PDB file of all heavy atoms in Angstrom:
ATOM      1  N   ILE B 399       5.637 -15.131 -39.786  1.00 97.00           N
ATOM      2  CA  ILE B 399       5.195 -14.306 -40.911  1.00 97.00           C
ATOM      3  C   ILE B 399       4.021 -13.472 -40.440  1.00 97.00           C
ATOM      4  O   ILE B 399       3.192 -13.968 -39.636  1.00 97.00           O
ATOM      5  CB  ILE B 399       4.737 -15.175 -42.092  1.00 97.00           C
ATOM      6  CG1 ILE B 399       5.608 -16.440 -42.227  1.00 97.00           C
ATOM      7  CG2 ILE B 399       4.808 -14.391 -43.388  1.00 97.00           C
ATOM      8  CD1 ILE B 399       5.009 -17.493 -43.079  1.00 97.00           C
ATOM      9  N   GLY B 400       3.923 -12.244 -40.933  1.00 96.00           N
ATOM     10  CA  GLY B 400       2.845 -11.381 -40.517  1.00 96.00           C
ATOM     11  C   GLY B 400       2.242 -10.661 -41.720  1.00 96.00           C
ATOM     12  O   GLY B 400       2.717 -10.703 -42.843  1.00 96.00           O
ATOM     13  N   ASP B 401       1.104  -9.904 -41.398  1.00 95.00           N
ATOM     14  CA  ASP B 401       0.474  -9.144 -42.488  1.00 95.00           C
ATOM     15  C   ASP B 401       1.088  -7.739 -42.482  1.00 95.00           C
ATOM     16  O   ASP B 401       2.037  -7.427 -41.679  1.00 95.00           O
ATOM     17  CB  ASP B 401      -1.090  -9.085 -42.271  1.00 95.00           C
ATOM     18  CG  ASP B 401      -1.477  -8.373 -40.977  1.00 95.00           C
ATOM     19  OD1 ASP B 401      -0.589  -7.689 -40.388  1.00 95.00           O
ATOM     20  OD2 ASP B 401      -2.593  -8.576 -40.511  1.00 95.00           O
ATOM     21  N   GLU B 402       0.555  -6.910 -43.342  1.00 93.00           N
ATOM     22  CA  GLU B 402       1.160  -5.578 -43.539  1.00 93.00           C
ATOM     23  C   GLU B 402       1.041  -4.697 -42.308  1.00 93.00           C
ATOM     24  O   GLU B 402       1.793  -3.760 -42.118  1.00 93.00           O
ATOM     25  CB  GLU B 402       0.617  -4.916 -44.812  1.00 93.00           C
ATOM     26  CG  GLU B 402      -0.811  -4.476 -44.780  1.00 93.00           C
ATOM     27  CD  GLU B 402      -1.889  -5.614 -44.805  1.00 93.00           C
ATOM     28  OE1 GLU B 402      -1.467  -6.796 -45.120  1.00 93.00           O
ATOM     29  OE2 GLU B 402      -3.015  -5.387 -44.583  1.00 93.00           O
ATOM     30  N   LYS B 403       0.111  -5.053 -41.407  1.00 92.00           N
ATOM     31  CA  LYS B 403      -0.066  -4.253 -40.234  1.00 92.00           C
ATOM     32  C   LYS B 403       0.783  -4.801 -39.044  1.00 92.00           C
ATOM     33  O   LYS B 403       0.668  -4.292 -37.884  1.00 92.00           O
ATOM     34  CB  LYS B 403      -1.528  -4.149 -39.807  1.00 92.00           C
ATOM     35  CG  LYS B 403      -2.291  -3.215 -40.751  1.00 92.00           C
ATOM     36  CD  LYS B 403      -3.675  -3.036 -40.260  1.00 92.00           C
ATOM     37  CE  LYS B 403      -4.429  -1.971 -41.074  1.00 92.00           C
ATOM     38  NZ  LYS B 403      -5.850  -2.102 -40.961  1.00 92.00           N
ATOM     39  N   GLY B 404       1.565  -5.812 -39.278  1.00 94.00           N
ATOM     40  CA  GLY B 404       2.383  -6.317 -38.181  1.00 94.00           C
ATOM     41  C   GLY B 404       1.757  -7.406 -37.320  1.00 94.00           C
ATOM     42  O   GLY B 404       2.267  -7.713 -36.264  1.00 94.00           O
ATOM     43  N   TRP B 405       0.606  -7.946 -37.787  1.00 95.00           N
ATOM     44  CA  TRP B 405       0.028  -9.025 -37.014  1.00 95.00           C
ATOM     45  C   TRP B 405       0.426 -10.391 -37.582  1.00 95.00           C
ATOM     46  O   TRP B 405       0.455 -10.592 -38.766  1.00 95.00           O
ATOM     47  CB  TRP B 405      -1.514  -8.903 -37.059  1.00 95.00           C
ATOM     48  CG  TRP B 405      -1.952  -7.701 -36.265  1.00 95.00           C
ATOM     49  CD1 TRP B 405      -2.088  -6.429 -36.665  1.00 95.00           C
ATOM     50  CD2 TRP B 405      -2.379  -7.702 -34.865  1.00 95.00           C
ATOM     51  NE1 TRP B 405      -2.502  -5.589 -35.647  1.00 95.00           N
ATOM     52  CE2 TRP B 405      -2.702  -6.364 -34.559  1.00 95.00           C
ATOM     53  CE3 TRP B 405      -2.438  -8.704 -33.842  1.00 95.00           C
ATOM     54  CZ2 TRP B 405      -3.103  -5.997 -33.258  1.00 95.00           C
ATOM     55  CZ3 TRP B 405      -2.935  -8.317 -32.593  1.00 95.00           C
ATOM     56  CH2 TRP B 405      -3.207  -6.963 -32.316  1.00 95.00           C
ATOM     57  N   LEU B 406       0.719 -11.257 -36.685  1.00 96.00           N
ATOM     58  CA  LEU B 406       1.169 -12.587 -37.033  1.00 96.00           C
ATOM     59  C   LEU B 406       0.150 -13.385 -37.826  1.00 96.00           C
ATOM     60  O   LEU B 406      -1.072 -13.318 -37.521  1.00 96.00           O
ATOM     61  CB  LEU B 406       1.458 -13.363 -35.733  1.00 96.00           C
ATOM     62  CG  LEU B 406       2.047 -14.742 -35.829  1.00 96.00           C
ATOM     63  CD1 LEU B 406       3.519 -14.716 -36.156  1.00 96.00           C
ATOM     64  CD2 LEU B 406       1.801 -15.551 -34.569  1.00 96.00           C
ATOM     65  N   THR B 407       0.541 -14.041 -38.868  1.00 97.00           N
ATOM     66  CA  THR B 407      -0.334 -14.904 -39.610  1.00 97.00           C
ATOM     67  C   THR B 407       0.050 -16.363 -39.682  1.00 97.00           C
ATOM     68  O   THR B 407      -0.757 -17.242 -39.927  1.00 97.00           O
ATOM     69  CB  THR B 407      -0.527 -14.403 -41.104  1.00 97.00           C
ATOM     70  OG1 THR B 407       0.809 -14.355 -41.678  1.00 97.00           O
ATOM     71  CG2 THR B 407      -1.177 -13.007 -41.135  1.00 97.00           C
ATOM     72  N   GLY B 408       1.313 -16.641 -39.465  1.00 97.00           N
ATOM     73  CA  GLY B 408       1.818 -18.014 -39.517  1.00 97.00           C
ATOM     74  C   GLY B 408       3.235 -18.193 -39.192  1.00 97.00           C
ATOM     75  O   GLY B 408       3.978 -17.228 -39.001  1.00 97.00           O
ATOM     76  N   ALA B 409       3.627 -19.429 -39.122  1.00 97.00           N
ATOM     77  CA  ALA B 409       5.034 -19.817 -38.872  1.00 97.00           C
ATOM     78  C   ALA B 409       5.553 -20.649 -40.010  1.00 97.00           C
ATOM     79  O   ALA B 409       4.936 -21.684 -40.325  1.00 97.00           O
ATOM     80  CB  ALA B 409       5.125 -20.547 -37.546  1.00 97.00           C
ATOM     81  N   ARG B 410       6.674 -20.207 -40.586  1.00 97.00           N
ATOM     82  CA  ARG B 410       7.267 -21.066 -41.595  1.00 97.00           C
ATOM     83  C   ARG B 410       8.111 -22.079 -40.852  1.00 97.00           C
ATOM     84  O   ARG B 410       8.971 -21.719 -40.021  1.00 97.00           O
ATOM     85  CB  ARG B 410       8.170 -20.199 -42.506  1.00 97.00           C
ATOM     86  CG  ARG B 410       8.690 -20.905 -43.756  1.00 97.00           C
ATOM     87  CD  ARG B 410       9.701 -20.047 -44.522  1.00 97.00           C
ATOM     88  NE  ARG B 410       9.099 -18.766 -44.901  1.00 97.00           N
ATOM     89  CZ  ARG B 410       8.307 -18.582 -45.952  1.00 97.00           C
ATOM     90  NH1 ARG B 410       7.962 -19.614 -46.741  1.00 97.00           N
ATOM     91  NH2 ARG B 410       7.835 -17.372 -46.229  1.00 97.00           N
ATOM     92  N   CYS B 411       7.890 -23.350 -41.075  1.00 97.00           N
ATOM     93  CA  CYS B 411       8.583 -24.442 -40.308  1.00 97.00           C
ATOM     94  C   CYS B 411       9.333 -25.325 -41.234  1.00 97.00           C
ATOM     95  O   CYS B 411       9.051 -25.412 -42.448  1.00 97.00           O
ATOM     96  CB  CYS B 411       7.561 -25.272 -39.557  1.00 97.00           C
ATOM     97  SG  CYS B 411       6.607 -24.292 -38.330  1.00 97.00           S
ATOM     98  N   VAL B 412      10.239 -26.035 -40.679  1.00 97.00           N
ATOM     99  CA  VAL B 412      10.904 -27.119 -41.388  1.00 97.00           C
ATOM    100  C   VAL B 412      10.789 -28.406 -40.629  1.00 97.00           C
ATOM    101  O   VAL B 412      10.627 -28.353 -39.367  1.00 97.00           O
ATOM    102  CB  VAL B 412      12.451 -26.833 -41.610  1.00 97.00           C
ATOM    103  CG1 VAL B 412      12.643 -25.760 -42.629  1.00 97.00           C
ATOM    104  CG2 VAL B 412      13.112 -26.530 -40.330  1.00 97.00           C
ATOM    105  N   ARG B 413      10.822 -29.529 -41.310  1.00 97.00           N
ATOM    106  CA  ARG B 413      10.790 -30.811 -40.629  1.00 97.00           C
ATOM    107  C   ARG B 413      12.258 -31.183 -40.245  1.00 97.00           C
ATOM    108  O   ARG B 413      13.188 -30.826 -40.939  1.00 97.00           O
ATOM    109  CB  ARG B 413      10.194 -31.882 -41.456  1.00 97.00           C
ATOM    110  CG  ARG B 413       8.705 -31.714 -41.601  1.00 97.00           C
ATOM    111  CD  ARG B 413       8.050 -32.838 -42.420  1.00 97.00           C
ATOM    112  NE  ARG B 413       7.052 -32.337 -43.264  1.00 97.00           N
ATOM    113  CZ  ARG B 413       5.869 -31.922 -42.904  1.00 97.00           C
ATOM    114  NH1 ARG B 413       5.527 -31.873 -41.656  1.00 97.00           N
ATOM    115  NH2 ARG B 413       5.042 -31.412 -43.784  1.00 97.00           N
TER     116      ARG B 413
END
Side-chain angles (χ1 to χ4, degrees):
Chain B
I399 324 162
D401 63 18
E402 69 286 349
K403 285 187 173 160
W405 290 84
L406 183 78
T407 56
R410 191 186 303 281
C411 298
V412 290
R413 289 186 220 287

